[in-house]
Amino acid sequence: TDKFSEELARTFVRPARGDKPLLAHALRPSNTVVLCATLYLVLLCVRAPAGKCRRTMSDLNAPVVVLGANGSGKSLALRRMMALQKTGIVEPLIDADVVPSVGVDISNLPIAKKQTLQMKEVGGAMMPLWPMYLNNSAGLIYMVDMSDSIQLGASAAHFHHLCGLPTVKGKPILLVLNKMDAPCLLHRGELESAFDMDAVVEELGDSLTVLEASALSGLNVKAIMDWTKSIYGII
């Protein structure tokens, strides 16, 4: 790049035909092509700084996609997050009468003046279409109902399928073990076995975060919010 820079500098500042710079001469049709090619090569030589890429505020239009089987608590968790962002506290009581999502629900979380985070919840009934909603997403929140042993196997299979998609590779993933306050709770070992967590952790590495929560009681709802903000570089 130093060589290209020196050549460009000489092109613009070196005297030619008296005391006039070479600019007019350099911009003749035959030389314009050379100059453009040189500039192009200089741009190709520019490299981004080493290290992990950090999202900026300009990426806020990329949504966080919230997925999970029917009844896993997606809608209630988002309702909790909206209330938390509005009041700044986790309300002890909240309306838990939630109709299962059958389509796509979009929640815009206000984080600053005229700035919002978009959360896109896709219903469990649309499971075959889940992959298409992960295109251009900022990250994935996957909800698991820790009180439902019947859906555990299917939930694990779909999670593995999603994590293997090219559109998900390298993106932050939050696995939320929801309903941790349920009276009939699955043992953590059952979940780890069904999800083959050792293999999942090895494959996803630092991009995976696992969090125990309860959308009903508000347990770790703030942690979910903090994780969501963090993938945009918002603290």
Side-chain angles (χ1 to χ4, degrees), residues 176-225:
V176 179
L177 310 183
N178 193 30
K179 302 188 182 181
M180 292 301 295
D181 55 346
C184 298
L185 196 64
L186 292 170
H187 292 292
R188 184 66 179 260
E190 294 179 78
L191 174 117
E192 292 179 351
S193 176
F195 275 74
D196 194 4
M197 288 303 297
D198 289 339
V200 170
V201 171
E202 183 178 354
E203 178 183 356
L204 300 179
D206 293 339
S207 63
L208 175 67
T209 301
V210 182
L211 189 65
E212 295 182 352
S214 170
L216 182 61
S217 69
L219 173 67
N220 277 336
V221 169
K222 185 179 185 303
I224 298 174
M225 175 71 81

Side-chain angles (χ1 to χ4, degrees), residues 10 19 26 73 103 111 149 170 205 209 213 222:
R10 284 197 296 270
D19 295 332
I111 57 166
S149 59
T209 301
K222 185 179 185 303

Side-chain angles (χ1 to χ4, degrees), residues 11-230:
T11 300
F12 285 99
V13 303
R14 188 179 60 196
R17 295 182 179 137
D19 295 332
K20 295 182 179 180
L22 196 58
L23 178 60
H25 174 69
L27 293 180
R28 290 187 308 181
S30 59
N31 290 327
T32 301
V33 175
V34 177
L35 181 60
C36 290
T38 303
L39 288 171
Y40 177 72
L41 290 173
V42 171
L43 291 174
L44 287 180
C45 292
V46 176
R47 292 292 182 266
K52 188 175 181 180
C53 179
R54 182 184 178 92
R55 290 186 175 273
T56 63
M57 299 298 282
S58 62
D59 297 308
L60 291 178
N61 58 338
V64 172
V65 178
V66 184
L67 303 177
N70 283 333
S72 58
K74 301 183 297 296
S75 298
L76 187 56
L78 289 176
R79 182 179 295 179
R80 276 282 188 187
M81 292 173 69
M82 291 289 289
L84 172 62
Q85 190 64 17
K86 183 179 180 179
T87 65
I89 60 174
V90 177
E91 299 288 348
L93 298 175
I94 192 171
D95 183 9
D97 186 14
V98 178
V99 178
S101 300
V102 294
V104 180
D105 290 335
I106 296 177
S107 300
N108 293 307
L109 296 174
I111 57 166
K113 195 173 183 179
K114 297 183 179 179
Q115 290 178 329
T116 60
L117 295 179
Q118 187 181 97
M119 311 287 290
K120 185 176 290 186
E121 176 196 350
V122 186
M126 299 181 66
M127 201 173 283
L129 301 178
W130 281 356
M132 67 177 288
Y133 290 97
L134 293 168
N135 295 328
N136 303 316
S137 63
L140 166 65
I141 296 177
Y142 193 85
M143 307 283 292
V144 179
D145 183 351
M146 288 296 288
S147 67
D148 190 348
S149 59
I150 296 176
Q151 292 197 100
L152 184 62
S155 182
H158 284 288
F159 179 74
H160 276 274
H161 174 65
L162 295 173
C163 291
L165 296 174
T167 52
V168 177
K169 188 175 181 180
K171 292 181 179 179
I173 299 172
L174 179 62
L175 180 62
V176 179
L177 310 183
N178 193 30
K179 302 188 182 181
M180 292 301 295
D181 55 346
C184 298
L185 196 64
L186 292 170
H187 292 292
R188 184 66 179 260
E190 294 179 78
L191 174 117
E192 292 179 351
S193 176
F195 275 74
D196 194 4
M197 288 303 297
D198 289 339
V200 170
V201 171
E202 183 178 354
E203 178 183 356
L204 300 179
D206 293 339
S207 63
L208 175 67
T209 301
V210 182
L211 189 65
E212 295 182 352
S214 170
L216 182 61
S217 69
L219 173 67
N220 277 336
V221 169
K222 185 179 185 303
I224 298 174
M225 175 71 81
D226 291 342
W227 177 90
T228 304
K229 291 181 178 180
S230 71

